[in-house]
Amino acid sequence: MPVKGQEGKMEQALKDHKGNWEMTSLYEKSSGKDVPLMTQGGQSMTAKDFGPVAIMDSITANKELAVYTFGAWYDAGSVSGAFKFHEKLKAAGLKAKLTVGPWTHGCRKNCSPFAFDDNPKFDLYGELVRFFDCYLKELPDTQIPDEEDIHFWTVGAERWVGAYNWPIMDVTTERMFFSGQGKLVN
């Protein structure tokens, strides 16, 4: 089913997509995010030249846009970026939702040391369909507009928590270190 108002544009989108460069092979050649690389089209780029950060102005200019961001506590740099990206979307007045879970990249494996197994136990695709049903099909029964913008898994407590802001209120940051005896100390 085409996106509302975009009927008949699929053929052009597929044609335009053929001009995209292949990111995986480009990353394999990379030795750092600030090191320029040459794309298949002969364009010199760094990692800062593409992705959500590079197009943030065009994203936030479209006030009709709804964006669902996923992050993972156990996915290298994604969780910090996911929270920052979500904050920028909300500050621009966009409809935005963020979910951060105890999994690896792509919600493939639950990595919580408190979990009984590595099954993510999260219906990623069902959640995406619910989001798209709300904002693309405009179905009223999804309840997404009434929910907190942010949902995150609390490792240890092993439960989902909802919040409207990040960091959540009444949280104190405390730095901990390993002692010589292998215990955490502050």
Side-chain angles (χ1 to χ4, degrees):
M1 172 181 267
V3 174
K4 185 178 176 183
Q6 302 296 312
E7 298 84 358
K9 295 188 178 183
M10 178 66 84
E11 187 175 313
Q12 183 62 44
L14 291 171
K15 183 179 174 185
D16 292 345
H17 182 71
K18 288 183 180 184
N20 291 354
W21 43 274
E22 208 278 301
M23 193 178 332
T24 304
S25 64
L26 193 62
Y27 273 137
E28 289 171 351
K29 299 173 191 170
S30 176
S31 60
K33 70 178 182 179
D34 297 320
V35 178
L37 297 169
M38 198 64 68
T39 68
Q40 291 92 332
Q43 184 179 3
S44 177
M45 304 181 87
T46 67
K48 291 189 255 182
D49 295 322
F50 50 87
V53 174
I55 59 170
M56 184 56 79
D57 289 341
S58 62
I59 291 172
T60 56
N62 184 350
K63 300 303 181 194
E64 296 299 313
L65 197 60
V67 181
Y68 199 151
T69 307
F70 284 88
W73 293 125
Y74 299 97
D75 182 7
S78 82
V79 73
S80 175
F83 279 108
K84 289 176 185 174
F85 186 62
H86 180 77
E87 288 172 24
K88 290 181 187 223
L89 296 171
K90 293 303 290 181
L94 272 65
K95 297 174 278 291
K97 184 171 174 70
L98 169 65
T99 297
V100 177
W103 45 70
T104 56
H105 189 79
C107 186
R108 289 188 282 273
K109 180 179 176 183
N110 184 337
C111 295
S112 172
F114 302 96
F116 292 108
D117 60 38
D118 63 2
N119 182 334
K121 295 178 186 65
F122 180 77
D123 185 5
L124 173 67
Y125 298 112
E127 182 66 6
L128 287 170
V129 166
R130 201 169 72 89
F131 182 79
F132 291 135
D133 279 352
C134 177
Y135 292 114
L136 297 180
K137 290 184 176 179
E138 298 177 352
L139 298 179
D141 59 348
T142 61
Q143 300 173 338
I144 286 182
D146 302 325
E147 297 174 0
E148 295 94 344
D149 299 336
I150 301 169
H151 287 91
F152 61 94
W153 185 258
T154 53
V155 176
E158 300 303 287
R159 66 183 180 91
W160 288 102
V161 175
Y164 290 103
N165 298 300
W166 191 267
I168 56 175
M169 297 166 74
D170 301 325
V171 172
T172 305
T173 301
E174 186 174 344
R175 291 191 131 185
M176 304 291 286
F177 304 92
F178 284 109
S179 71
Q181 293 78 35
K183 296 184 179 187
L184 282 175
V185 295
N186 54 2

